[in-house]
Amino acid sequence: MLMTPRISKVMLTTHITFSVAWIGTVAAFLALAIAGLIGNDQMVRACYIAMEVIAWFVIVPFCLASFLSGLVQALGTHWGLFKHWWTFLKLILTLIATLILLLHMQPISYLGEVASQKMIGYEELRSLRI
């Protein structure tokens, strides 16, 4: 069943919003990663803790929302999922990026946990950098 034009526009806006937000939060994550690489002890700790929070509570939800809203958009409009090669390619690329992100969450969580422990020194944190 196809969506009405109004619902289709809302879904398209939602999908674009989630996709752009996903890219923006990854840019913020990258800025923290760079600051963590060149910062001092306190900066490294703060960056790694913030990176874990941003990854779990912002990047992962935007990633999943982008994937799901794109799937709904493809299935609920005349574009379809398999009718045009590029819609299917976008779905596959988003799925691959989502899987890579979810696999990468384990080391991100580990770094955040290690950075939050006061007994770990600066040199130990430097050796754990990704």
Side-chain angles (χ1 to χ4, degrees):
M1 181 169 129
L2 294 178
M3 292 185 241
T4 65
R6 185 176 192 174
I7 293 175
S8 178
K9 286 179 186 178
V10 169
M11 283 306 301
L12 179 61
T13 303
T14 301
H15 177 63
I16 291 171
T17 301
F18 284 137
S19 299
V20 171
W22 181 17
I23 293 169
T25 55
V26 169
F29 184 90
L30 180 61
L32 285 172
I34 292 169
L37 286 173
I38 62 175
N40 60 20
D41 187 25
Q42 290 178 343
M43 177 71 83
V44 171
R45 288 179 186 278
C47 286
Y48 286 168
I49 293 168
M51 286 166 59
E52 181 185 17
V53 172
I54 287 174
W56 277 115
F57 296 107
V58 184
I59 295 175
V60 170
F62 281 152
C63 172
L64 296 174
S66 176
F67 177 76
L68 291 175
S69 63
L71 187 61
V72 168
Q73 184 72 14
L75 295 174
T77 63
H78 67 281
W79 294 108
L81 188 56
F82 301 108
K83 188 174 180 182
H84 300 283
W85 64 270
W86 56 270
T87 56
F88 183 68
L89 180 65
K90 280 177 51 176
L91 176 74
I92 295 300
L93 290 174
T94 305
L95 181 62
I96 290 169
T98 302
L99 291 175
I100 290 171
L101 171 66
L102 293 176
L103 288 172
H104 194 62
M105 288 308 298
Q106 183 178 8
I108 291 170
S109 293
Y110 179 71
L111 280 174
E113 182 181 321
V114 169
S116 67
Q117 297 174 356
K118 295 189 187 273
M119 65 188 113
I120 302 296
Y122 178 67
E123 289 304 318
E124 288 86 6
L125 279 176
R126 286 188 72 92
S127 67
L128 291 173
R129 292 180 180 174
I130 298 174

